Amino acid sequence: MNLALWLHRAGLADADRPALGYGARVLRNYGEVASRVARLAGALRQRFGLKAGDRVAIAAANSPDYVEVLYAIWHAGLAAVPVNAKLHGAEFGYILENSGARVCFASRALEGQIAPHAPNTLERLIAIGGAEYERLLAADPVPVAECAPDDLAWLFYTSGTTGRPKGAMLTHKVLAAASHAYLAEVDNVLPGDPILHAAPMSHGSGLYIMPHVMRRGVNVVAESGGFEPEEIFEQFRVWPRTSMFAAPTMVKRLVECPADCPSENIRTIVWGGAPMYVEDARKALDRFGPRLAQIYGLGESPMTITTLSKQDIADRDHPRWLERLSSAGRAYACVEVMVADEQDRELPVGDAGEILCRGDVVMAGYWRNPEASAATLKGGFLHTGDIGAFDAEGYLTLKDRSKDMIISGGSNVYPREVEEVLLKHAGVREASVIGRPDREWGEVVVAYVVGDAPPAELDALCLSAIARFKRPKDYVFVEALPKNNYGKILKTELREYDETLKR
Ligand code: AMP
């Protein structure tokens, strides 16, 4: 089953229904989008000679055209490689090379940044909305390609403990199951219901494009393409029954924005991807009413491990309301979830251990990385690297991330990647990067450095090699880093020490 069939069918039966919204207006209906997608797919297959399973990257900021490009890739039987638009040129280069993408669609603003880093395997870099893109839309349409359920649909780039991004292979079956799960357990979508994409479509928000196409909702992008609270509220005003996926830091910014908000126009604000302070969840509930839901998942099981329903979040009279509010909810119907010890044995209720899961929503493995696939999918269960505990009623509370990943403003930062850049400076003998809790960003990146490098030079070094949001916000110079007998740096001790600093 090819995911593109949902759009194709909408084009046949609901041609006049709005499909894409841009700012305050309807940009295209389902008939137009289905026709443009069939032509773009025709260009990919016939003009570029791409074959079933070939990868096509999308390195773009949010836009309505993003939806068209994604569907054209699937319509043509190809696999999409959505790439975070905030990455550095070299990071784009790595993902393009690792995925073996033959074609990359890029925002016009990113084209110049990507071109110098394009690997030899990349045959074409096409600016979305540019002259060549328009010519592709004049190609002859092709029928939707046949796909097996296990065919690759989306290579979802995440990072592993090695710090290098890995491509989680999400098949048509995985994304279809995740779409059904969303509609059944998070947010019911009726024809014409809008979803506002304010978080990146290359990540969490993009996963909600498909259920909205399945139900003939409207995929909407604000004109800024990003997250501006005032603009978001304006979108709510003009698009009744809007849903939106937001990182907890985004929800917090909405709560703090003084703009007048017509809450009744909000269908659901789904938060996830990082922990939310209970106090912040309460404030969001005060402001928006019973319109909030939470999801917990990761790229390898895209947003589909547990969910805390709108009813649970709003049920203030329940005796365990606060406990539930601080949890990540209950397992989705489509997935087995277990908390296990180091030997993968299930732990009793209340005990904390690694969260494992199994089901149709779990990735097929990592792209061209059999070792990492075998380790992460050991025994048929996805090993999330997250530590959590179930309560007696099946609510899962997340305790910590076993990986030392930092989540700053909803974006992931892998310490090792930053450490490697810092260590390039001659004045840095050792470096260890941790996350420091922060009310505004969730966490901020902090670098512990042994050496005498000027912070301004370290900043410049980071800006030359990695995305801006990964740059440390603070440098702490120390005599030595805490280490164990094997010489491994003890980040837990470092974090404890960091808490004692007077800031
Ligand atoms: P990613 O693969 O980039 O989506 O990052 C996934 C990680 O984000 C998970 O392994 C968790 O550590 C964290 N995460 C996702 N959802 C939640 C949530 N609802 N609450 C707390 N942490 C979360």
Side-chain angles (χ1 to χ4, degrees):
M1 211 288 305
N2 187 330
L3 285 168
L5 280 172
W6 295 346
L7 176 67
H8 173 68
R9 291 172 190 160
L12 296 178
D14 283 297
D16 294 333
R17 274 198 183 281
L20 297 178
Y22 186 50
R25 66 197 168 96
V26 172
L27 190 66
R28 283 177 206 122
N29 62 31
Y30 273 103
E32 289 166 303
V33 176
S35 155
R36 286 166 64 94
V37 160
R39 290 172 186 279
L40 204 48
L44 290 171
R45 288 301 285 249
Q46 288 161 356
R47 293 200 190 163
F48 297 167
L50 297 185
K51 302 180 308 299
D54 279 347
R55 274 81 53 218
V56 176
I58 315 174
N62 288 359
S63 78
D65 292 336
Y66 204 109
V67 178
E68 275 183 4
V69 173
L70 187 64
Y71 272 89
I73 293 168
W74 291 335
H75 188 114
L78 311 168
V81 187
V83 191
N84 181 349
K86 287 194 232 157
L87 293 185
H88 186 270
E91 295 168 317
F92 284 123
Y94 176 78
I95 291 176
L96 290 173
E97 185 178 10
N98 184 265
S99 64
R102 291 178 60 189
V103 172
C104 175
F105 286 92
S107 305
R108 276 189 264 197
L110 291 176
E111 202 188 1
Q113 200 183 327
I114 296 170
H117 298 276
N120 295 336
T121 40
L122 188 75
E123 294 162 27
R124 276 171 193 269
L125 180 59
I126 299 160
I128 297 173
E132 185 178 9
Y133 186 81
E134 293 304 321
R135 280 196 296 277
L136 299 181
L137 287 165
D140 290 332
V142 288
V144 178
E146 271 186 35
C147 272
D150 291 330
D151 283 349
L152 181 62
W154 183 320
L155 257 192
F156 194 106
Y157 270 87
T158 175
S159 287
T161 41
T162 58
R164 277 294 204 188
K166 292 196 288 276
M169 295 192 283
L170 305 182
T171 63
H172 287 264
K173 179 177 77 186
V174 167
L175 294 176
S179 302
H180 284 290
Y182 177 78
L183 295 170
E185 297 188 55
V186 182
D187 193 26
N188 188 24
V189 180
L190 301 176
D193 279 351
I195 171 120
L196 175 64
H197 295 286
M201 287 169 133
S202 59
H203 213 78
S205 202
L207 295 164
Y208 298 147
I209 296 172
M210 294 79 81
H212 284 80
V213 169
M214 190 217 276
R215 286 284 174 83
R216 286 112 210 241
V218 196
N219 282 286
V220 181
V221 178
E223 283 187 17
S224 76
F227 183 83
E228 304 292 338
E230 305 258 350
E231 189 186 36
I232 304 278
F233 286 138
E234 191 49 40
Q235 293 290 127
F236 289 146
R237 253 187 289 279
V238 294
W239 292 95
R241 283 184 59 79
T242 291
S243 284
M244 182 176 83
F245 171 76
T249 47
M250 292 177 169
V251 177
K252 191 166 150 57
R253 284 179 62 198
L254 287 179
V255 169
E256 286 164 2
C257 176
D260 186 30
C261 167
S263 290
E264 61 284 358
N265 275 9
I266 302 174
R267 189 168 87 247
T268 314
I269 295 176
V270 183
W271 92 74
M276 167 103 104
Y277 290 105
V278 175
E279 203 39 47
D280 292 339
R282 287 173 81 145
K283 285 185 187 149
L285 188 59
D286 289 344
R287 173 103 199 232
F288 301 119
R291 297 177 178 85
L292 297 152
Q294 183 193 179
I295 54 91
Y296 157 59
L298 54 164
E300 292 85 341
S301 181
M303 308 305 199
T304 44
I305 300 179
T306 60
T307 176
L308 188 65
S309 68
K310 285 201 237 188
Q311 294 76 12
D312 276 341
I313 292 174
D315 191 4
R316 292 175 191 265
D317 296 333
H318 193 281
R320 282 179 301 287
W321 173 62
L322 272 184
E323 280 161 66
R324 289 181 173 183
L325 198 58
S326 63
S327 80
R330 288 177 286 176
Y332 277 94
C334 57
V335 75
E336 283 171 67
V337 185
M338 160 165 112
V339 168
D341 67 10
E342 281 168 9
Q343 279 75 48
D344 287 357
R345 289 174 304 215
E346 188 161 13
L347 287 167
V349 161
D351 284 8
E354 186 175 10
I355 299 162
L356 314 185
C357 72
R358 176 167 74 175
D360 280 354
V361 285
V362 173
M363 68 162 181
Y366 290 116
W367 177 250
R368 292 182 176 164
N369 196 337
E371 297 81 27
S373 303
T376 307
L377 295 173
K378 189 159 50 94
F381 276 86
L382 173 72
H383 291 63
T384 64
D386 291 315
I387 306 297
F390 274 115
D391 71 11
E393 292 174 325
Y395 287 76
L396 180 71
T397 297
L398 299 175
K399 307 275 181 198
D400 203 357
R401 280 156 282 156
S402 64
K403 308 161 195 165
D404 288 311
M405 186 176 86
I406 300 166
I407 303 178
S408 187
S411 293
N412 294 348
V413 182
Y414 289 87
R416 174 145 174 206
E417 203 184 357
V418 184
E419 288 158 11
E420 279 172 4
V421 175
L422 296 175
L423 286 164
K424 286 186 185 150
H425 193 288
V428 175
R429 287 201 295 286
E430 286 184 286
S432 184
V433 167
I434 58 164
R436 177 185 290 164
D438 182 87
R439 295 292 295 172
E440 189 181 355
W441 297 102
E443 287 178 290
V444 291
V445 178
V446 175
Y448 274 76
V449 175
V450 181
D452 55 5
E457 287 182 20
L458 296 178
D459 269 350
L461 193 60
C462 288
L463 288 176
S464 72
I466 47 174
R468 205 174 185 88
F469 66 86
K470 299 178 184 173
R471 184 176 51 135
K473 298 273 180 304
D474 193 8
Y475 297 92
V476 185
F477 291 87
V478 287
E479 288 293 312
L481 295 171
K483 293 191 186 136
N484 69 10
N485 289 343
Y486 301 106
K488 278 173 102 118
I489 295 168
L490 296 167
K491 292 213 173 190
T492 317
E493 272 187 29
L494 211 48
R495 279 190 283 260
E496 282 164 11
Y497 172 74
D498 196 63
E499 272 181 25
T500 67
L501 291 185
K502 290 233 177 341
R503 293 191 291 265

